[in-house]
Amino acid sequence: MTNLEKYNKIIKKYLKCKDEELNDETLVYNRYPTWDSVTHVDMVSELEETFGVYFETIDITSFGKYSLGIEILRKLGVDI
């Protein structure tokens, strides 16, 4: 499984979304029905554990769209 597939699996698990919803138009924090603060923290925690990284506070607060999670993981050295 590629890192992108792992990322998408986590996003779909927590946000309960479909493959066709994996985009910045649909997946926006506090606009997508299941992406609230509790889900956000749980999702970040699993991303950290899965990829062996640590999100700084700025990373957690700036992760507000689907693609921003990918950008943050890249910044933290994950090949995604």
Side-chain angles (χ1 to χ4, degrees):
M1 180 179 292
T2 68
N3 284 337
L4 181 58
E5 289 169 333
K6 290 176 189 176
Y7 175 77
N8 287 340
K9 183 177 177 181
I10 292 167
I11 297 297
K12 290 189 298 185
K13 173 183 172 181
Y14 285 95
L15 300 183
K16 298 177 182 15
C17 61
K18 299 176 180 137
D19 285 333
E20 59 269 14
E21 295 177 301
L22 295 173
N23 62 67
D24 283 350
E25 299 301 314
T26 305
L27 296 182
V28 178
Y29 177 69
N30 272 337
R31 283 200 344 221
Y32 193 76
T34 55
W35 197 349
D36 60 16
S37 60
V38 174
T39 302
H40 187 77
V41 170
D42 291 342
M43 194 165 49
V44 167
S45 179
E46 184 152 345
L47 288 168
E48 289 177 328
E49 185 177 321
T50 298
F51 294 105
V53 296
Y54 177 76
F55 281 47
E56 298 290 335
T57 302
I58 189 71
D59 298 326
I60 295 169
T61 58
S62 65
F63 176 26
K65 291 184 180 181
Y66 169 77
S67 68
L68 292 176
I70 294 169
E71 288 178 29
I72 291 165
L73 289 170
R74 283 184 179 145
K75 179 187 87 165
L76 295 173
V78 176
D79 184 22
I80 188 169

